[in-house]
Amino acid sequence: MSYPTTSDHIDSHARQAWALAELLVDHYGGQEDHNVLNDDIMSGLMENLAYHTAKIQEINAGSGGDHAG
């Protein structure tokens, strides 16, 4: 996907990261009775969150990151 501006590219990754963070907090949150997602799913979500934050850092550093989204 092509983004019209760098801000749009960052915004796209930020929205994805925010949604993942909310899901992690809502469903994991350190409380055993709310832990409805298994460890493999949680690990995948955390890796995806790390991917999006790394892309934001790359874009901010001027390396361009992944323009495919």
Side-chain angles (χ1 to χ4, degrees), residues 9-68:
H9 194 183
I10 290 171
D11 186 56
S12 175
H13 284 292
R15 280 184 275 120
Q16 290 291 326
W18 182 265
L20 287 164
E22 283 186 327
L23 181 66
L24 289 166
V25 169
D26 287 346
H27 290 283
Y28 200 58
Q31 299 178 11
E32 291 298 319
D33 58 337
H34 292 124
N35 187 1
V36 296
L37 302 175
N38 72 31
D39 289 342
D40 291 336
I41 293 171
M42 294 303 296
S43 177
L45 291 172
M46 291 171 66
E47 287 175 8
N48 200 292
L49 177 60
Y51 166 81
H52 287 292
T53 55
K55 289 300 174 185
I56 292 168
Q57 290 173 336
E58 287 178 19
I59 296 164
N60 281 330
S63 64
D66 173 23
H67 292 291

